[in-house]
Amino acid sequence: MTIEHIQGRESSAPPVSVYRVLSALLAYPDQALLAAVPELQTSVTAWQRQQLTPLFDMLSSADDLIDLQEQYVSTFDRRPAHSLHLFEHIHGQSRDRGQAMVDLRDEYLRHGLILETSELPDYVPLFLEFLGQIPAEKASALLGDAIHVLVRIGDKLTQYGSPYAAVFTVLRALTSAVPQPLPDPAPEELDESMITFGPDADGSEPALRARTQTAQPVHFYETDPRRARAVSGSASS
């Protein structure tokens, strides 16, 4: 989410959704994020704050923003196992990933939210911001669908010793769904052509804008041929 949503919140406003707090914590660090840390800490429960302490401490004690940004890039951009794109962990670079992103983008639209970012729909901070803007029951169901991927990312970050693993610990506690092991991503490559979502890239942080209100399911398609499912009819509408 955009940090301005936190910094501009007055005491009489409703509390910030934990999903949106976690979205902010997984965003590329900048000065606005560092300034928002104290309020982010007060926007979660005591248990969540305790789990997130390693990450809060890292952000609060950062002496050099550039070093913090380089650490972020080294953690997420240079290590495919830590990728913050959900479908990369399921589909790899296969054509199925492109279709899954189209379906997820359509899910955002069905809930009345329009992408206003250059990020792909399966970008975890964007997905979490989405969960923070829809009814709690639906958000919980979608988190349960995605928890298998999110736990996999969190486990890899824990093995790496990254404070960012704390975000995924909190996410795991927000659902009763039991994470299942994932098959290895399909090795096929995507087409050379690029799929474009939303407006032209402008370097902005993940953002969603309200449109209308309806609800439809989102599918985190699997690539294991033993468990393949047909694309739902609503995805092609």
Side-chain angles (χ1 to χ4, degrees), residues 86 104 108 121 123-131 142-143 146 220:
L86 290 167
L104 183 55
Y108 294 163
Y123 183 54
V124 174
L126 181 61
F127 178 69
L128 295 180
E129 183 181 358
F130 167 60
L131 295 187
L142 290 176
L143 177 63
F220 290 83

Side-chain angles (χ1 to χ4, degrees), residues 7 13 120 229:
Q7 293 181 312
L120 295 175
R229 298 195 299 270

Side-chain angles (χ1 to χ4, degrees), residues 67-143:
D67 286 344
L68 192 63
Q69 292 171 338
E70 289 179 348
Q71 180 178 347
Y72 181 93
V73 170
S74 177
T75 299
F76 294 113
D77 298 345
R78 296 175 183 165
R79 297 178 180 272
H82 304 166
S83 173
L84 289 179
H85 289 91
L86 290 167
F87 296 129
E88 187 170 333
H89 297 276
I90 306 174
H91 303 298
Q93 297 301 313
S94 73
R95 292 178 176 83
D96 290 339
R97 183 186 178 200
Q99 182 58 54
M101 288 190 292
V102 169
D103 295 339
L104 183 55
R105 187 276 312 273
D106 290 345
E107 181 70 14
Y108 294 163
L109 293 175
R110 281 192 288 265
H111 280 83
L113 298 168
I114 300 174
L115 293 174
E116 291 189 327
T117 174
S118 59
E119 289 292 351
L120 295 175
D122 66 339
Y123 183 54
V124 174
L126 181 61
F127 178 69
L128 295 180
E129 183 181 358
F130 167 60
L131 295 187
Q133 296 193 40
I134 63 177
E137 297 80 5
K138 183 63 177 179
S140 179
L142 290 176
L143 177 63

